[in-house]
Amino acid sequence: MVTPGDAGSGRAVDFPDLPIGPPLDLGGLPFETAQVELPQGSLLVLYIDGLIESRARDVDASLVVLSDVLARALASLEETCDGLLDALLPSRPADDVALLVARTRALDADHVATLDLPSDPAVVCEARAFASERLAAWGLEDMAFTTELVVSELVTNAIRYGRSPIQLRMILQPTVTCEVSDASGTAPHLRRARTFDEGGRGLFLVAQLSEHWGTRYHREGKVIWAEQLIRPPVPPDFTASAAGRACGEGQETAAWAVRSETLSIFPTAFLAMASTTKNAVGRL
């Protein structure tokens, strides 16, 4: 972790004592969570052992190099990733390398809205109305239909299968994220309902209507979240030929968007992520 220091004191680099879990590049395995409070502008640096272990340098020496690079004020997350890879990796590393650098930033109250809900199916309509009103306040009325469906399914799922307290939270960034938390640790699963099944379609609808969705666990229960892209309105004179030109002009931007995403990890901290793999892949 890298936290911003006082004026003239530089940045503080710390290696917190965290529970040991599966490596960063292995998914689907259980792990123990830890909560750490970070000020705005802090960096989280996640990596696997291939970044710091080599025959030419022991781990302690690699950690010193890593600290020195992170203590310098680099302009962007991409430059931080590049600086770490250049300083720590030989020309042909013998092991796989995974590196993730994220920066925390806080959102003001106008970008976050929460609603506490009792465990009563009758409040689902209240949750839909809350979502619609919030989207109107953000100038996103065009997203009301799909967002109300997402909120309805997530809240219904929490009421039916979760435990109180239940809370709906909406977050405005370059995307609109809907989160529903409850005190149950039961893992939801996506399934395809058969033609005459009366249920089982909720998460399938959420997955179809959202750009991304997932589950985040914490000590008090879980959060199911769904993220929708904010798409610009189509101009009235938007023709097919204009659409073709816009598609061609947007290819480079779309390729860049794959490398730079936005994550939400903590309730009040949002992380702008830059994952650099191009240099590591080029050296393997």
Side-chain angles (χ1 to χ4, degrees):
M1 296 189 310
V2 185
T3 53
D6 299 331
S9 63
R11 298 191 291 183
V13 181
D14 182 39
F15 297 90
D17 186 15
L18 299 174
I20 298 176
L24 181 65
D25 56 341
L26 293 181
L29 298 178
F31 57 89
E32 184 177 352
T33 62
Q35 296 184 7
V36 180
E37 186 172 345
L38 297 171
Q40 181 171 336
S42 300
L43 294 182
L44 286 177
V45 182
L46 309 176
Y47 53 87
I48 62 174
D49 55 4
L51 181 69
I52 59 174
E53 292 183 358
S54 69
R55 297 177 181 178
R57 183 192 298 123
D58 62 31
V59 173
D60 291 336
S62 295
L63 292 178
V64 171
V65 174
L66 186 145
S67 298
D68 291 341
V69 173
L70 293 175
R72 297 196 297 268
L74 299 176
S76 68
L77 299 181
E78 286 282 340
E79 291 182 5
T80 301
C81 290
D82 290 339
L84 290 172
L85 295 175
D86 291 339
L88 290 168
L89 292 185
S91 57
R92 298 184 63 83
D95 198 359
D96 294 335
V97 175
L99 172 64
L100 174 69
V101 178
R103 177 178 288 117
T104 62
R105 60 184 175 89
L107 295 177
D108 57 60
D110 292 337
H111 289 73
V112 181
T114 60
L115 176 66
D116 295 323
L117 299 166
S119 185
D120 181 358
V123 302
V124 176
C125 61
E126 179 183 347
R128 289 197 299 264
F130 175 82
S132 181
E133 292 171 1
R134 179 48 49 185
L135 290 174
W138 289 337
L140 301 174
E141 294 90 343
D142 291 344
M143 298 180 63
F145 179 75
T146 55
T147 303
E148 285 185 26
L149 283 176
V150 169
V151 167
S152 179
E153 295 299 335
L154 293 183
V155 171
T156 300
N157 189 74
I159 292 172
R160 180 173 296 179
Y161 304 110
R163 295 200 308 264
S164 294
I166 299 172
Q167 185 184 77
L168 166 64
R169 185 171 67 158
M170 298 181 63
I171 303 164
L172 174 64
Q173 300 182 90
T175 59
V176 171
T177 303
C178 299
E179 298 183 348
V180 175
S181 61
D182 69 84
S184 172
T186 304
H189 61 279
L190 183 67
R191 69 182 182 91
R192 184 181 294 274
R194 293 172 297 183
T195 303
F196 298 105
D197 287 350
E198 295 184 359
R201 296 176 176 83
L203 287 180
F204 182 78
L205 283 174
V206 171
Q208 294 297 310
L209 297 173
S210 304
E211 190 73 15
H212 305 286
W213 76 280
T215 305
R216 183 173 70 249
Y217 295 93
H218 52 81
R219 294 178 181 176
E220 292 77 26
K222 68 177 182 299
V223 177
I224 304 180
W225 56 270
E227 181 182 86
Q228 299 177 79
L229 294 178
I230 300 176
R231 305 185 188 278
V234 179
D237 58 347
F238 195 70
T239 62
S241 59
R245 292 195 301 272
C247 182
E249 293 168 356
Q251 289 176 354
E252 182 177 354
T253 302
W256 171 255
V258 172
R259 295 176 48 215
S260 179
E261 303 178 28
T262 300
L263 299 183
S264 171
I265 295 182
F266 299 112
T268 56
F270 297 89
L271 310 176
M273 179 187 74
S275 177
T276 299
T277 57
K278 59 181 187 302
N279 289 345
V281 172
R283 294 172 181 173
L284 291 178

